[in-house]
Amino acid sequence: MSSRRVCQRCSTLPASIQRAPAPLSARIAAKRCFTLSRTKQPSKSPSDNPPLQNKRRLSSLESQGQRASSEYVAPPASQQPSQSPHEDNSRLLLKPDNLFHSFSNSPSPEIRRRAAFMKQNAYCPHPAHAQTRQPIGPHDLEARKTGTHPPAHVRYECPDCGIPVSCSYEHFADDYENHLDICDQLREINEDDHDLRSGRFFPEFEYPGPQLEEAQVNMTNWDTLLYTREFNAIDNERSLRQATRLLTYPITIGSVIHELSPYNIQSGGRLTPEGLKSMTLRYTLHPPRSGAGMTVAGLRPNPPPTRLFILGARAESSLPREVWIQLVHLFPRAIFHLIFIGPESMANRDAEFPLPPRTASNPFGAVVEDRISGQMKISTFVEYYHTLHAAGAFAPYDPYFDAFVLFHPGLGHPASSHEWAETIPQLLETKVPVICTGYTEYDMQRDIKWVHDTVGGEVDMLLEPGENRFRSLRWDLNDADPSDVSCGNFGLWAFRGKRYETTRKDVE
Amino acid sequence: MSRSEVVTMVLGRRLPQSSYYDKDFRPSASLYRARQPYLVKNAFTGIAMLGFAISVYTFTIRAVSQDEFEDVKVPDAPVEAPPTSSAVAQ
């Protein structure tokens, strides 16, 4: 499953890419090839110190990113639409009606490895055990543990969902009501994971190109968006879940900054008047027509690109670039510069190592991908944001062009909040909108509370916290704690440093 | 990259067809889901428009059918004249 293979698409790459001689372009071409060279574990945490909760965020999205690309590559039949997907049964590991397997007895070796990891790292949540870590919140099952039994790793797999959830049958039977709450979801996760590794043809990972500007996009929900964006019809719910898990990242950003955004200032719309004032990005993203053309007479001055700084980037920086290009296709006449910043921003991108040398023109050794599209450039910095801010690497910030995006940053999470303590005040000082997402409602509220506590009210809310319309529909399992299920970008909110139009000066 | 999938085969050629309709040209599940936010509102709008059209017809026909035509004198049938002698005299 980890053999090196070049996909058919690369063998038919446009000649311009094939002629590119520089090693940087070769690296980018290798990226576009989506070769199967990556063999990283989906959960790479053997060197972690406890608690393993902080690695929850390195969820199996990475495996999705690499698996999706590998599965996208695997069947050469993908290029011939006439070939029925059922003809090539020899490639199928699992038929669609045979997707439920217990994790320990799974036909896929990767899932068996995950089951082994769970059995070595996850603890049984029964209240009779002693606590192994501080409970993260009131809903955390760890808070119920008041007993004195030594903590035991999970061993017993639930027969209905196939995931090891208890240390023994007795504890499982005792705690069955709690397990029933999530058993259905766990079963769905189980089937989706097996589906991703089943070797079938994935029509849902074929994305459409740019569309006519007058054919406007409807952002009410996933179905209307996919329909108006001219995606191929995704009838199967499982396929829809697989597709939205990747697309949630660009579409969440797009849904906030687009002028047809579903968030508005009416009473249920969640956008505040300050938020509307901050959406000045829309002036740049939807520019008036300037009479530009392809000839010399049609030359017009163009504004600089919209910069989206994605801080604390982990799995999202390794998303296939075709997924990020979907953001560009929502905005016909705008250009983008996506900047991934974070110590883990090269996660799952081993093919692109070593990083470029630090030179005067590239002082932080950023990986720059500028051959993706005429409208998008992606840079990746393996640094903390506060280092770059202090160095003035991106100054000046302009709310007409810049926005910060934080995908489940874990601002209030005890394992990661210290890393954000220096960055958040700097973000507020730029007065540029910051769009934030969270894994769960509790996660989001904790982040908001942490921000308010850290900066003491110098924050304007732009978007009231709530469920993201374009969240991932597929739920993810935390390998270190099987009862913890979350979905990508579940909650969405936005904030900005408080702007004072006029301030009072005490005259005494 | 285009949205239509090549599906039907007619005389050895393939006709493009939107993937939102199945091979019998019926809307697929994804199309129903995409239409769902608008089903109820559209149904009400349709009923309102149909109701308006029907009411205009009803009112017009009722208003026109109330006319009384008794005061219109229908003239008698024309009397057939006998052939005149002037025709014979010529």
Side-chain angles (χ1 to χ4, degrees), chain A residues 218 223-224 231-235, chain B residues 3 19-20 28 30 33-34 38:
Chain A
N218 183 332
D223 302 301
T224 58
F231 274 75
N232 281 332
I234 303 177
D235 292 322
Chain B
R3 73 155 162 200
S19 57
Y20 283 90
S28 65
S30 47
R33 283 199 306 260
Y38 306 101

Side-chain angles (χ1 to χ4, degrees), chain A residues 270-289:
Chain A
R270 285 168 55 189
L271 193 68
T272 61
E274 287 295 328
L276 192 58
K277 279 190 229 168
S278 260
M279 288 296 133
T280 44
L281 273 176
R282 292 177 186 169
Y283 286 104
T284 321
L285 294 168
H286 302 280
R289 288 186 186 276

